[in-house]
Amino acid sequence: MKANLPARRARGRRAARTLAPLAPAALLFASTAACDSDTSSEGTDRGVHTLTPEPEESPSEAASPRTQESFAASVSAESERVRQEAAERLDEVEGRGNAVGDVSVNGLPLTASEEVRSALVRVTNPTDQAAFYAVKVEFVDAEDKVLDTVVVGVEEAPPDRTVTAQANSRKAAGVKTFPRVAQAERG
């Protein structure tokens, strides 16, 4: 009789391992059956009341007065205004400006299909007040020839923080270029 004891234990363990995954499934089935949900009901119990009233009419199907095109145009106009303000400030600057040490620039990766060459401009404002930054970025080739110059403006750069802007050049597209800071003015 003792000879069969290990075989019975092994069969008992195998049966327990086989039935163990079925126990949670049976429990889940029993709990959902106990809910007795009726899919044809309105979805709320009659004892539940909403605190906000139902809208009396649907929103109109008329087009919003602000379209994506008008939004993009306003963003583009604002960007151009900031760029022009930066260009005007840099016209008055002699030399490289008072903020060249606050600005760094890195070229962004280029794919073959892109029609622009981009540079990431990082501005760190070391002062204790927000400031406007005007930055002139030059795109130069391997022979140090300037292929394009782009002006970027950064409004209200927060104190003791670094903000980024992007300088884009169509003239430098398709050529291996290196961006560099030509001028930077804080004020």
Side-chain angles (χ1 to χ4, degrees), residues 35-106:
C35 288
D36 192 27
S37 62
D38 182 13
T39 57
S40 63
S41 69
E42 293 178 19
T44 58
D45 187 13
R46 292 176 194 228
V48 176
H49 301 284
T50 58
L51 299 176
T52 55
E54 295 282 329
E56 293 188 19
E57 57 184 61
S58 299
S60 69
E61 302 236 355
S64 169
R66 182 136 192 188
T67 63
Q68 279 186 320
E69 291 82 18
S70 70
F71 177 73
S74 68
V75 169
S76 181
E78 178 64 14
S79 297
E80 181 60 22
R81 182 195 66 76
V82 171
R83 191 200 65 73
Q84 285 179 355
E85 182 180 343
E88 289 171 7
R89 289 188 186 198
L90 288 174
D91 285 342
E92 300 168 2
V93 173
E94 291 185 23
R96 296 193 65 204
N98 65 5
V100 174
D102 301 345
V103 179
S104 66
V105 65
N106 291 50

Side-chain angles (χ1 to χ4, degrees), residues 105-121:
V105 65
N106 291 50
L108 294 175
L110 181 68
T111 62
S113 64
E114 287 187 274
E115 296 178 7
V116 297
R117 183 71 174 127
S118 298
L120 185 66
V121 180

Side-chain angles (χ1 to χ4, degrees), residues 131-154:
F132 183 90
Y133 278 80
V135 181
K136 185 183 288 185
V137 177
E138 292 178 338
F139 289 88
V140 297
D141 64 7
E143 286 84 41
D144 207 35
K145 178 183 171 190
V146 177
L147 300 176
D148 196 9
T149 302
V150 177
V151 175
V152 176
V154 177

